[in-house]
């Protein structure tokens, strides 16, 4: 299975459907968190994902250019489908995203709003915590920033 990265305008209807289906499954249903999942930011984003032969999303995140969510570029909606977790796919996903931001978008920093329990995971990529924990849609989050070299 190969990684794909596409700007919103380049996604097929089927790809977009599978992405939104998995995001809703993970962030709304699995985390029991009703919120406005489709927030309008997808239109300006790059979508990095891996899917199986049926098109079902295995891993996904969106890359938001600088100025969309923060002054810096950002990553969001990071997910790995349940049956593919604990296999190192999330690390590969985030690593590819940071490489893309640095080498294709030519950005020097990435800011994220991370679920607080994932602080150590993001620290492994060089992210530093820049806020106290806060609730976002009922889930503890923290802001984090990494400087890319």
């Amino acid at each position: 299975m190969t990684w794909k990265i596409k700007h919103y305008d380049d996604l097929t209807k089927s790809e977009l459907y599978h992405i939104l289906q998995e995001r809703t499954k993970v962030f709304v249903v699995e985390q029991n968190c009703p919120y406005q999942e489709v927030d309008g930011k997808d239109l300006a984003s790059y979508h990095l994902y891996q899917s199986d032969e049926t098109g079902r999303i295995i891993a996904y995140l969106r890359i938001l250019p600088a100025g969309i969510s923060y002054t810096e570029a950002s990553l969001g909606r990071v997910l790995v489908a349940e049956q593919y977790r604990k296999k190192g796919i999330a690390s590969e996903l985030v690593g590819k995203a940071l490489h893309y931001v640095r080498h294709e978008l030519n950005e020097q920093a990435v800011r994220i709003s991370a679920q607080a329990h994932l602080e150590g995971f993001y620290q492994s990529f060089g992210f530093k915590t820049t806020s106290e924990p806060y609730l976002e849609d009922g889930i503890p989050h923290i802001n984090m920033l990494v400087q890319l070299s």
Side-chain angles (χ1 to χ4, degrees):
M1 292 174 265
T2 59
W3 291 99
K4 295 179 184 175
I5 187 161
K6 293 185 175 187
H7 188 271
Y8 175 84
D9 293 333
D10 299 320
L11 292 170
T12 66
K13 287 185 268 185
S14 180
E15 288 167 329
L16 180 60
Y17 174 85
H18 287 291
I19 287 167
L20 295 176
Q21 181 181 43
E22 195 63 30
R23 283 180 14 187
T24 302
K25 180 178 179 183
V26 170
F27 297 117
V28 178
V29 178
E30 183 180 316
Q31 294 183 359
N32 192 26
C33 183
Y35 75 109
Q36 186 60 48
E37 206 292 321
V38 179
D39 61 4
K41 295 179 182 181
D42 291 314
L43 302 170
S45 298
Y46 296 88
H47 302 267
L48 173 61
Y49 64 97
Q50 190 176 80
S51 56
D52 66 17
E53 60 282 346
T54 70
R56 183 168 183 267
I57 299 298
I58 292 170
Y60 168 87
L61 63 71
R62 69 179 178 185
I63 300 169
L64 298 97
I68 304 298
S69 287
Y70 304 103
T71 304
E72 305 86 359
S74 61
L75 308 179
R77 303 296 200 267
V78 181
L79 70 85
V80 175
E82 190 171 16
Q83 66 268 36
Y84 293 97
R85 294 179 190 158
K86 309 280 187 209
K87 299 177 190 264
I89 296 171
S91 292
E92 189 177 352
L93 174 67
V94 172
K96 286 185 178 302
L98 293 174
H99 183 271
Y100 187 85
V101 169
R102 176 66 186 103
H103 297 286
E104 299 298 325
L105 300 182
N106 298 311
E107 294 290 341
Q108 302 295 318
V110 174
R111 184 174 299 277
I112 60 173
S113 173
Q115 290 187 8
H117 75 276
L118 295 171
E119 183 176 24
F121 171 75
Y122 288 110
Q123 286 173 336
S124 73
F125 293 95
F127 280 91
K128 307 283 188 222
T129 304
T130 61
S131 76
E132 293 297 318
Y134 57 90
L135 287 180
E136 184 174 312
D137 300 313
I139 298 172
H141 280 70
I142 51 173
N143 288 334
M144 302 185 82
L145 178 72
V146 64
Q147 296 294 327
L148 303 174
S149 54

